[in-house]
Amino acid sequence: MERVPITVTVNGRTYTAEVEPRLLLVHFIRDVLNLTGTHIGCDTTSCGACTVIWNGRPVKSCTVFAVQADGTEILTVEGLERDGQLHPVQEGFWEEHGLQCGYCTPGMMMTAVALLAENPDPTEEEIRAAISGNLCRCTGYVNIVKAIQYAARKMRESATAGVGGA
């Protein structure tokens, strides 16, 4: 099959590769770039485990072809941590026990990052609506919501103190 050259910036680093036009973005991220934090759950957009931030918006990467990402910027769960410091969302999941098996966690975190970028002080209902496209079979979502609330508080406190939180 014909291969197509693409250039994508992932987690601040630019990558160029030749890919088959049918290669899904999730497989490009995992198999070509070897960034395995983005999980493959259902390949049908139902679970959200493969959620990444694509040009500032949360996207289920199992529904996007890698060639569609040519020239774009992607943030994966590996790109959240900066200079040895967890992102407030990652810290929130740790502190509030927002995971059990961890399979949905990267997608939940990326969805939460996108939510908090758009709405720094979401209500519980807004958090639940934002993560409604991400399935968790373990937690019942209670601690996931608490984790996102924790991150929102921490990010607001950092912004008030003049410290970067994202």
Side-chain angles (χ1 to χ4, degrees):
M1 175 168 271
E2 172 188 351
R3 296 175 78 75
V4 177
I6 63 170
T7 301
V8 182
T9 301
V10 180
N11 302 329
R13 182 174 170 200
T14 302
Y15 297 89
T16 300
E18 289 192 5
V19 299
E20 291 184 7
R22 66 182 179 180
L23 182 69
L24 293 173
L25 181 58
V26 68
H27 295 295
F28 175 75
I29 292 168
R30 290 181 57 83
D31 301 336
V32 177
L33 303 185
N34 201 31
L35 297 172
T36 57
T38 301
H39 292 166
I40 300 169
C42 65
D43 277 332
T44 63
T45 75
S46 296
C47 74
C50 67
T51 302
V52 298
I53 308 295
W54 184 28
N55 285 338
R57 308 289 295 169
V59 172
K60 294 176 182 179
S61 60
C62 74
T63 63
V64 177
F65 291 112
V67 294
Q68 292 174 281
D70 185 32
T72 66
E73 291 191 28
I74 297 168
L75 179 65
T76 70
V77 71
E78 290 94 344
L80 294 181
E81 176 260 339
R82 300 283 165 102
D83 300 323
Q85 296 294 312
L86 293 178
H87 185 282
V89 169
Q90 293 171 307
E91 186 178 320
F93 271 73
W94 173 266
E95 292 295 331
E96 297 294 336
H97 311 286
L99 62 116
Q100 284 184 24
C101 82
Y103 205 82
C104 72
T105 304
M108 287 284 189
M109 286 183 178
M110 300 314 293
T111 299
V113 167
L115 168 66
L116 297 177
E118 188 174 301
N119 180 356
D121 193 11
T123 65
E124 179 177 342
E125 293 75 26
E126 290 168 329
I127 292 170
R128 288 183 177 278
I131 64 172
S132 65
N134 297 72
L135 300 180
C136 175
R137 296 179 184 197
C138 301
T139 67
Y141 302 93
V142 172
N143 288 349
I144 292 170
V145 171
K146 287 181 183 178
I148 297 168
Q149 290 170 327
Y150 174 103
R153 276 191 310 276
K154 181 155 187 166
M155 291 170 75
R156 287 191 312 273
E157 289 167 4
S158 294
T160 302
V163 179

